[in-house]
Amino acid sequence: MTIRLRTAHTADLTPAELRAVRTLLDDAFEGDFSDEDWDHGLGGMHALVHDGSGLAAHGSVVMRRVLHRGRSLRTGYVEAVAVRADVRRTGLGGRIMAALEGVVDRAYTLGALSASDAGAALYAARGWQVWPGRISALGPDGIVHLPDEEGTTFVRPASAGPLDPSHGLVFDWRDGDVL
């Protein structure tokens, strides 16, 4: 079976490709992938793996800003990572992540992502580290603590160098992030 990996910006994906990605994500997350989740994965670089049956895996990296110790870090945030059910545990998630990590390492100061229970082992095995400090977002009314994101947020320092967990990470706000 031929496996093709392609990277492309959202602007370069056709409407049919975007529909295929959304369908893959809806299936992989069993209906727990909201319109806000979809929006979060758009506007950056996508990695797509196709096999003989169509779209087999996807992930994207979008730019976010993260405040840490008085610095605003240009952050490549990994979103919308999914593998079709019939080809899970065959290395396609690793191929997607390798492509996205290349983007993060070359274009961003920091890499970050929020892992599901199912995805956490993949990210840890690839060297991503659970952020041990506080996680917040800069919401419309100021900084909002996000305790549910603590323990599930992974980072990849890229060119930022070591980060100090005694100082929290404050992410830019997006619809759906702050209640």
Side-chain angles (χ1 to χ4, degrees), residues 161-179:
L163 302 175
D164 182 353
S166 69
H167 296 269
L169 298 178
V170 181
F171 287 83
D172 56 346
W173 177 81
R174 306 178 301 176
D175 286 343
D177 285 349
V178 180
L179 303 176

Side-chain angles (χ1 to χ4, degrees), residues 34-50:
S34 70
D35 289 342
E36 282 119 352
D37 294 328
W38 172 243
D39 186 60
H40 296 170
L42 301 176
M45 293 299 295
H46 298 257
L48 306 104
V49 171
H50 288 86

Side-chain angles (χ1 to χ4, degrees), residues 7-145:
T7 57
H9 192 276
T10 301
D12 296 322
L13 298 178
T14 67
E17 287 174 310
L18 288 169
R19 281 191 302 276
V21 170
R22 180 64 194 254
T23 298
L24 172 71
L25 293 165
D26 286 339
D27 291 347
F29 287 92
E30 300 174 344
D32 192 24
F33 194 82
S34 70
D35 289 342
E36 282 119 352
D37 294 328
W38 172 243
D39 186 60
H40 296 170
L42 301 176
M45 293 299 295
H46 298 257
L48 306 104
V49 171
H50 288 86
D51 64 11
S53 298
L55 183 62
H58 170 271
S60 62
V61 61
V62 299
M63 191 181 106
R64 295 189 69 183
R65 286 286 179 176
V66 174
L67 301 174
H68 179 70
R69 294 190 69 185
R71 292 175 56 204
S72 176
L73 304 174
R74 191 180 62 259
T75 301
Y77 201 86
V78 174
E79 292 279 5
V81 175
V83 177
R84 201 176 62 225
D86 65 315
V87 290
R88 288 187 186 139
R89 308 278 185 259
T90 63
L92 297 183
R95 289 182 72 169
I96 290 291
M97 287 306 298
L100 298 178
E101 289 161 357
V103 172
V104 168
D105 292 347
R106 292 186 305 273
Y108 295 98
T109 306
L110 175 68
L113 59 85
S114 181
S116 65
D117 291 340
L122 169 67
Y123 308 127
R126 298 192 60 79
W128 289 74
Q129 299 173 349
V130 174
W131 177 251
R134 186 176 177 98
I135 300 289
S136 302
L138 184 55
D141 297 320
I143 295 176
V144 178
H145 182 214

